Amino acid sequence: MNIYKVAACAALLASVSTVPAFAHATFVNKTAEQDSSIVAALQVPHGCEGGLATTEVQIKLPEGFISAKPQPKAGWELEIIKGDYQKTYKNHGKDVKSGPVEIRWKGGNLADDFYDTFNVQGTISGVEAGVNLPFKVIQLCADKGTVNWNEIAEKGQDPHSLENPAPTIQIVAKQAQGEGHGHDHAMAGHAADVVKVGNLEVSGAVTKAMLPGQPVGGGFVTIKNDGSADDRLVSVESPLAGRSEIHEMGMVNDVMKMRKLNDGIAIPAGKTVELTPGGLHFMFFNVSKPFAEGDKVPVTLTFEKAGKVDVVLDVGSAQGGKDKHQHN
């Protein structure tokens, strides 16, 4: 087993005490289809005993949940532990023998008065319908306490009888109409036409379909400044989202971090800036309904000099993507 650290290395806290919990950690999405890609959205409802804030969340990924990718959280560092699977799986026609087996969000501060979700995208593979797939979870509260959600019910046992049950996702039979992997388009394949505002051209307005359990959506555009003066994208809005923000994800001192860009994005004169997965992007929170492939997501972009412009994001497949780069 090897450790790929997106976050700075920190020693595992081995001396903290286990304490009783008052509410269970559970998944937003209680079920998932066989051989499907999902976002496992873990709800952490409280801190440790005595009202201590949660500072670290660890999820051990079960056999049959493969090719996992965690969602970065602003203010938290990520550590991804990789290892070998017990058997070989097929994923999009390729053999997969190893991958992430544990995810750790570290260095955060989730107060006991609040709850939050910790999200991991992955593929259900080789798991029979009717199985409750357990994800063992540990909450750490600095060096003062820990909560272990690691008990797994025996066959026929009521999981509610356990004091600290591991969160589970029940695997259900795949629906015939759910076979959606035959047309895995790149997101840019059906990108919207070029929209002009002032000296700016906005093109490639796309997003990905949201997977089951995914709490937020993303968005991507390409902005070309043909003028002689710099401009700045200052905000994004959509009637389909309760809140929309501009974010950046990238490596800072060997730590992958995501942060909200309160000052927006600079669009230099004569340059083209591309928003892509893994880099600059939009985030849509509290969406009215999950984005589905083939849908259209209207958004309004506001620029410091060029003003407002309406564009439409074409929703591509959940697996589609664009390479991260920025043009000069």
Side-chain angles (χ1 to χ4, degrees):
M1 180 180 295
N2 66 307
I3 298 179
Y4 169 66
K5 294 189 177 178
V6 189
C9 180
L12 182 63
L13 301 174
S15 60
V16 292
S17 60
T18 301
V19 296
F22 304 101
H24 296 163
T26 58
F27 285 107
V28 174
N29 42 329
K30 306 295 184 184
T31 63
E33 291 185 356
Q34 292 175 290
D35 303 315
S36 65
S37 294
I38 67 166
V39 172
L42 178 74
Q43 298 179 112
V44 175
H46 58 73
C48 297
E49 188 177 36
L52 297 174
T54 298
T55 57
E56 183 172 336
V57 174
Q58 304 175 0
I59 301 180
K60 295 184 183 298
L61 306 178
E63 192 73 16
F65 187 79
I66 66 171
S67 302
K69 293 182 179 181
Q71 183 181 52
K73 294 178 69 66
W76 298 71
E77 300 174 353
L78 266 176
E79 182 176 333
I80 302 173
I81 299 177
K82 294 185 176 182
D84 294 330
Y85 299 138
Q86 294 178 16
K87 63 180 184 178
T88 300
Y89 297 92
K90 287 286 186 182
N91 190 19
H92 299 293
K94 296 182 179 180
D95 288 342
V96 179
K97 299 180 180 180
S98 63
V101 295
E102 184 176 340
I103 307 297
R104 299 173 182 173
W105 288 266
K106 307 170 72 168
N109 191 337
L110 175 60
D112 185 55
D113 290 337
F114 304 101
Y115 90 98
D116 205 347
T117 57
F118 296 79
N119 307 305
V120 184
Q121 178 180 315
T123 298
I124 306 295
S125 182
V127 183
E128 295 182 0
V131 170
N132 286 318
L133 206 58
F135 294 68
K136 293 183 179 181
V137 173
I138 299 176
Q139 282 177 254
L140 297 176
C141 298
D143 59 351
K144 296 183 173 67
T146 178
V147 180
N148 292 305
W149 306 101
N150 59 3
E151 296 178 320
I152 300 175
E154 301 288 343
K155 187 174 182 179
Q157 182 182 10
D158 182 1
H160 295 291
S161 66
L162 302 175
E163 184 177 356
N164 293 93
T168 62
I169 295 178
Q170 185 179 52
I171 308 306
V172 298
K174 191 171 184 65
Q175 300 297 315
Q177 65 270 27
E179 304 290 347
H181 300 298
H183 50 280
D184 240 355
H185 312 298
M187 284 196 308
H190 298 284
D193 294 335
V194 174
V195 177
K196 295 186 177 183
V197 55
N199 292 316
L200 305 179
E201 291 185 356
V202 181
S203 62
V206 291
T207 183
K208 295 181 182 181
M210 296 170 65
L211 293 169
Q214 185 173 338
V216 297
F220 317 95
V221 298
T222 297
I223 306 168
K224 181 180 180 182
N225 186 346
D226 285 328
S228 58
D230 296 346
D231 208 332
R232 179 175 292 273
L233 175 63
V234 294
S235 70
V236 57
E237 297 176 308
S238 174
L240 302 185
R243 186 173 89 255
S244 305
E245 297 177 355
I246 302 170
H247 279 231
E248 179 183 44
M249 186 165 65
M251 299 296 293
V252 179
N253 296 326
D254 296 326
V255 176
M256 180 178 286
K257 294 187 176 182
M258 182 170 65
R259 64 190 182 100
K260 178 184 176 184
L261 298 178
N262 293 315
D263 295 331
I265 300 172
I267 314 295
K271 304 290 184 179
T272 298
V273 176
E274 188 173 3
L275 281 65
T276 63
L280 301 168
H281 59 278
F282 302 138
M283 294 285 284
F284 302 108
F285 300 88
N286 304 323
V287 298
S288 54
K289 71 179 185 68
F291 302 160
E293 186 172 357
D295 284 353
K296 306 287 186 181
V297 178
V299 299
T300 299
L301 307 180
T302 301
F303 294 92
E304 193 172 67
K305 295 177 181 176
K308 292 188 176 184
V309 62
D310 294 328
V311 299
V312 176
L313 308 182
D314 288 334
V315 183
S317 81
Q319 287 76 32
K322 307 193 318 187
D323 293 331
K324 176 186 172 184
H325 60 281
Q326 180 167 323
H327 303 288
N328 291 323

